């Protein structure tokens, strides 16, 4: 169907590792790319087997799992990641609810005080649309950046290369395929900015329910 000569991993001067580091398509079945992936996964599984009451054990394991983790973070179980969160960076005060998934073939950065609801997926990896490339195991990875104080609703999907600005809200079930600016409410499939955060949010916390926390 496609008149293309594919010679996986050997049709350029670059190695698969070099292609991966440059954000280019590369062959994911190259054994040299696996490294200690299963060791990192083992640590994550160990964390998932802890009890909620084993707070000290969890505290000790978290820095061994994540690339970086700030103070006062809470990570509910189960936690899922194909590199065991080795490439996930958490700021201070981050809350990860249950069943958050990181496809962390590239780095994922989540800023201070972010709230991540259940079943959210952060996916740094994708496959080319052209069928012949998938047949030859080509893939690409792009980093994800989430600013500080972002709330991501349950079941949202964050796609490769996405940046979400500070203070923004991503509605439940959204598929985020483009960057989201700071201080906005965005939702939908695909996710789009609905409005800016402003005066209305100083009066109402949910629909017509008024805030009563101001002095």
């Amino acid at each position: 169907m496609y008149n293309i000569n594919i010679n996986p991993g050997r049709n350029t001067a670059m190695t698969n590792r070099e292609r991966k580091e440059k954000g280019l398509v590369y062959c994911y079945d190259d054994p040299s790319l696996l490294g200690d992936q299963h060791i990192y996964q083992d640590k994550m599984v160990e964390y998932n087997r802890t009890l909620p009451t084993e707070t000290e054990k969890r505290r000790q394991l978290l820095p061994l799992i994540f690339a970086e983790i700030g103070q006062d973070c809470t990570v509910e179980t189960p936690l899922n990641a194909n590199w065991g969160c080795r490439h996930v960076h958490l700021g201070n005060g981050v809350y990860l609810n249950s069943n958050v998934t990181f496809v962390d073939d590239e780095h994922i950065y989540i800023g201070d005080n972010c709230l991540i609801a259940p079943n959210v997926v952060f996916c740094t990896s994708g496959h080319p649309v052209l069928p012949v490339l998938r047949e030859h195991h080509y893939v690409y990875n792009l980093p994800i950046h989430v600013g500080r104080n972002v709330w991501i609703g349950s079941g949202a999907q964050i796609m490769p290369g996405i940046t979400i600005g500070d203070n923004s809200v991503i509605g439940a079930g959204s598929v985020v395929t483009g960057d989201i600016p700071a201080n906005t409410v965005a939702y939908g499939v695909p996710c789009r900015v609905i409005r800016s955060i402003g005066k209305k949010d100083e009066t109402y916390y949910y629909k017509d329910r008024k805030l009563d926390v101001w002095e």
Side-chain angles (χ1 to χ4, degrees), residues 51-131:
L51 298 173
T53 53
E54 295 180 293
T55 54
E56 180 58 24
K57 184 175 182 179
R58 287 188 171 190
R59 186 188 67 80
Q60 293 176 0
L61 282 171
L62 285 174
L64 304 178
I65 295 171
F66 289 92
E68 295 179 277
I69 185 165
Q71 300 296 314
D72 302 319
C73 291
T74 300
V75 179
E76 306 289 1
T77 57
L79 176 65
N80 310 289
N82 58 325
W83 273 87
C85 295
R86 180 64 178 176
H87 302 129
V88 180
H89 307 253
L90 302 183
N92 297 315
V94 175
Y95 179 77
L96 300 182
N97 214 319
S98 60
N99 210 38
V100 171
T101 296
F102 296 103
V103 182
D104 60 335
D105 294 284
E106 246 292 359
H107 291 275
I108 299 169
Y109 302 88
I110 298 178
D112 296 346
N113 301 314
C114 284
L115 303 174
I116 313 300
N119 303 309
V120 172
V121 176
F122 296 86
C123 183
T124 68
S125 183
H127 299 277
V129 172
L130 194 67

Side-chain angles (χ1 to χ4, degrees), residues 2 25 126-135 138 140:
Y2 303 98
V25 291
H127 299 277
V129 172
L130 194 67
V132 67
L133 294 177
R134 296 199 306 277
E135 288 176 3
Y138 274 93
Y140 60 87

Side-chain angles (χ1 to χ4, degrees), residues 167-180:
N167 303 316
S168 287
V169 176
I170 306 299
S174 296
V175 179
V176 186
T177 59
D179 292 348
I180 303 298

